[in-house]
Each structure stands twice: as structure tokens, then as C-alpha cells.
């Protein structure tokens, strides 16, 4: 599948901003099942300085600074991405149990495959927005049947989150703790991904957070609404001998060719789409528009 992604963020300020510096993780990743053919920024006002780098997790990061007074900042990124057809058959058939996977992550020798082992182990640890709390382990316990294949454990956990929690954009913010999400059984895709990751890490398994987009299709007979799509989040679990397998608890499905990956990290804090500092500005209003267009 080939897509054109247009992601537009608009900041409107009550007073002029004299200087702002920003980091954007809004350009799709390049990896084995995804090819970013082109990606360009359209920023108003025009930045005086813009640079690109790759962060610790391999994500593309653009830094830009605006040094002229402004009361409105518009950041648009237009990307053409090809998502390769992929099959989950090999990973889904991996019989390794969750206990065996935990044992491997704890005791695998670095002499065997140091790069792969070290990468997986960093996703075992607590991160800024996810701690392996007892309450998360208690919720996940029903999925962790002894000697159950790891894939079945994660599929069951995904399905339970999908059925137990209500998607409610009005309930949470970026700062809402997981304990509130768990107590009230409400949240959004970011919360559900964080919840699943915290559950898996509480049992000694490696899981990472993925930010990106998902293609949304109009109802039969209805026109496609431009700009109606949104950023999305899901997670991946590491399966020894198979690699990373992705799960989308919001939609209760395994991501295939309708999921476009922007970035991955330990949690949302590692992959924030756009963040920065502004000098001045007073109060501000934020609006975000995302359009995922399938190209013929």
C-alpha cells in the first residue's frame, strides 16, 4: 500500500512569541516493512534554522527555530510512504511460552547476538510514563496462564483491554497516570498502549511503544473526509527467535498494511510528535489535523 500522509499542527497565541525552538518526530521511519519515499516540512513562519538527526531509537528528528515574532505557528509534514504486505504467520506460530521468553531475556548470553539482546532488554525497564506496578500485574494476571505461549498471552491481553476499556478522548490527557486509566477503564490509544506495555513489563517481558497513523475508511456510500484521521499508537512485544510482533489494543487487531509507523521508543515521551519551548505567547490554542490518503 502507498499512502500520502499530511499532518498539520497549528498553534495560535494570545500574544506574540519572540522565539521558539522545536523538535518534531513527524517523518515516517525507514525499516524492513516500510519505505518513506519522500517527506517535507512546510512551516510558517519560515524557520531561520532547521536540522535533521536520528535519535537513540533510530527515529527521524527535525529541529527548527523561529526567531521572528509570531502569533500563529503552522507545522505541516507531507510524506509519501509505502507499506509492504507482511505476514504474521511465523511469529504467531512461535511456541515459546511467556516463562521461556522471560528466562531468555534475563539470561541470554551477549556473545550470541549482543545488539539484539541489548535492544530488547532496554524495553524491560521502567520508563518516564510507565512503571511496572503491582496493580498492572494484577490486571494482567488472567492472561498469564502457566506455560501459555507468549503470543497467546499477548493476544488475550489485547482482547481484554479492547473489551474492558472504553475509548474516551475526553477522559485523559498526556499527563493522566496509568492508575487512573486502570481505575476508570477509560482512555485513548496512547493509554491502551501504555497499559499493555506496563502489564508485559510487570511480568519481565520486553515491550515498546509505537506512534504512527492508521488508515480509516468511510462508511459505505459516504465520502471520505479529508483531515478526519488522527495520530495513533500501538505496541510491540519482543519474541525470541521471531523478533518484534505488533498489537493494536484500540482496534483489537494485529497491524498490517493500514498502520504507518512514525517512531518507536519506551513510551510516548520518547516519540512525542512535536514539542518545544516558546518565549512569550501568553495563552495558546492547539489544533491538529491528519489526513491519510491511499494512493493508487
Amino acid at each position: 500500500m502507498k499512502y500520502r500522509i499530511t499532518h498539520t499542527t497549528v498553534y495560535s497565541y494570545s500574544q506574540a512569541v519572540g522565539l521558539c525552538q522545536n523538535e518534531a518526530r513527524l517523518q515516517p521511519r525507514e525499516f524492513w516493512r516500510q519505505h518513506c519515499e519522500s517527506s517535507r516540512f512546510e512551516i510558517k513562519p519560515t524557520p531561520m534554522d532547521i536540522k535533521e538527526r536520528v535519535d537513540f531509537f533510530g527515529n527521524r528528528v527535525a529541529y527548527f527555530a523561529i526567531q521572528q515574532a509570531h502569533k500563529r505557528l503552522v507545522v505541516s509534514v507531507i510524506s509519501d510512504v509505502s507499506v509492504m504486505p507482511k505476514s504474521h504467520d511465523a511469529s504467531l506460530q512461535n511456541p515459546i511460552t511467556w516463562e521461556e521468553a522471560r528466562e531468555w531475556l534475563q539470561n541470554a548470553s551477549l556473545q550470541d547476538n549482543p545488539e539484539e539482546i541489548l535492544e530488547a532488554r532496554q524495553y524491560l525497564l521502567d520508563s518516564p510514563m510507565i512503571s511496572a506496578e503491582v496493580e498492572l500485574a494484577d490486571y494482567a494476571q488472567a492472561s498469564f496462564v502457566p506455560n501459555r505461549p507468549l503470543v497467546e498471552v499477548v493476544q488475550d491481553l489485547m482482547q481484554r483491554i479492547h473489551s474492558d476499556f472504553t475509548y474516551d478522548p475526553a477522559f485523559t490527557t498526556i499527563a493522566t497516570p496509568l492508575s487512573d486509566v486502570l481505575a476508570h477503564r477509560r482512555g485513548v490509544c496512547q493509554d491502551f498502549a501504555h497499559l499493555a506495555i506496563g502489564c508485559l513489563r510487570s511480568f519481565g517481558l520486553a515491550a515498546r511503544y509505537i506512534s504512527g497513523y492508521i488508515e480509516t475508511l468511510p462508511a459505505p456510500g459516504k465520502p471520505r473526509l479529508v483531515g478526519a484521521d488522527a495520530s495513533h499508537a500501538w505496541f510491540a512485544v519482543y519474541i525470541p527467535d521471531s523478533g518484534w510482533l505488533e498489537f493494536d489494543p484500540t482496534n483489537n487487531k494485529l497491524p498490517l498494511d493500514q498502520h504507518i509507523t512514525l517512531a518507536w521508543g519506551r513510551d510516548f515521551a520518547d516519540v512525542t510528535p512535536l514539542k518545544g519551548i516558546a518565549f512569550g505567547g501568553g495563552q495558546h490554542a492547539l489544533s491538529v489535523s491528519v489526513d491519510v490518503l491511499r494512493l493508487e
Side-chain angles (χ1 to χ4, degrees):
M1 295 293 181
K2 185 174 181 179
Y3 298 97
R4 176 161 295 153
I5 315 294
T6 304
H7 185 133
T8 300
T9 305
V10 180
Y11 286 95
S12 300
Y13 301 97
S14 61
Q15 302 174 19
V17 172
L19 168 68
C20 70
Q21 298 176 335
N22 306 272
E23 273 194 352
R25 287 172 174 80
L26 289 169
Q27 297 169 282
R29 280 188 74 118
E30 187 86 17
F31 63 109
W32 69 269
R33 74 172 184 86
Q34 179 173 290
H35 173 55
C36 183
E37 299 181 9
S38 65
S39 186
R40 72 180 191 275
F41 281 85
E42 294 181 356
I43 304 172
K44 298 179 182 178
T46 302
M48 296 295 293
D49 187 22
I50 184 166
K51 300 175 182 176
E52 286 192 30
R53 64 180 178 89
V54 175
D55 70 11
F56 175 82
F57 300 100
N59 305 309
R60 300 174 67 181
V61 185
Y63 162 84
F64 62 92
I66 298 174
Q67 301 180 21
Q68 57 180 295
H70 58 279
K71 297 184 70 175
R72 178 180 168 89
L73 171 63
V74 181
V75 181
S76 292
V77 184
I78 302 95
S79 305
D80 285 355
V81 185
S82 293
V83 181
M84 320 303 179
K86 79 171 189 175
S87 171
H88 293 305
D89 290 348
S91 296
L92 291 175
Q93 294 172 6
N94 189 321
I96 188 170
T97 67
W98 66 268
E99 295 99 332
E100 291 170 336
R102 179 174 63 182
E103 176 75 14
W104 185 92
L105 286 164
Q106 292 175 347
N107 298 315
S109 172
L110 291 178
Q111 295 179 351
D112 297 335
N113 193 336
E115 184 175 342
E116 180 179 0
I117 294 170
L118 287 173
E119 182 192 21
R121 282 179 176 168
Q122 69 184 336
Y123 294 104
L124 294 170
L125 306 174
D126 288 351
S127 54
M129 302 184 75
I130 306 174
S131 297
E133 304 290 349
V134 173
E135 58 191 0
L136 296 177
D138 289 343
Y139 174 77
Q141 183 66 63
S143 299
F144 282 82
V145 176
N147 298 316
R148 192 178 197 178
L150 174 57
V151 171
E152 291 185 17
V153 169
V154 185
Q155 285 182 309
D156 184 71
L157 179 64
M158 173 181 70
Q159 292 165 2
R160 289 177 53 221
I161 292 174
H162 179 75
S163 61
D164 292 348
F165 289 75
T166 300
Y167 186 88
D168 185 356
F171 178 72
T172 59
T173 68
I174 293 174
T176 302
L178 270 181
S179 57
D180 287 358
V181 175
L182 189 58
H184 295 276
R185 296 291 201 269
R186 312 182 79 82
V188 294
C189 56
Q190 170 192 305
D191 302 308
F192 303 154
H194 279 167
L195 176 66
I197 293 168
C199 288
L200 292 164
R201 290 181 186 167
S202 70
F203 279 84
L205 298 168
R208 69 187 182 194
Y209 182 96
I210 303 174
S211 71
Y213 310 104
I214 184 172
E215 179 190 27
T216 55
L217 301 175
K222 298 293 184 180
R224 177 179 173 276
L225 300 178
V226 176
D229 298 289
S231 298
H232 193 45
W234 58 100
F235 73 96
V237 62
Y238 182 77
I239 303 174
D241 298 324
S242 292
W244 293 92
L245 182 60
E246 300 174 15
F247 296 84
D248 180 354
T250 304
N251 295 291
N252 192 27
K253 65 186 298 184
L254 274 66
L256 290 168
D257 55 4
Q258 288 180 285
H259 287 68
I260 301 99
T261 300
L262 271 181
W264 61 59
R266 297 166 300 169
D267 57 33
F268 176 82
D270 289 332
V271 300
T272 307
L274 183 62
K275 63 181 180 181
I277 57 173
F279 296 90
Q283 301 297 315
H284 74 271
L286 169 67
S287 66
V288 179
S289 171
V290 176
D291 184 49
V292 180
L293 173 65
R294 184 184 293 197
L295 302 176
E296 297 296 334

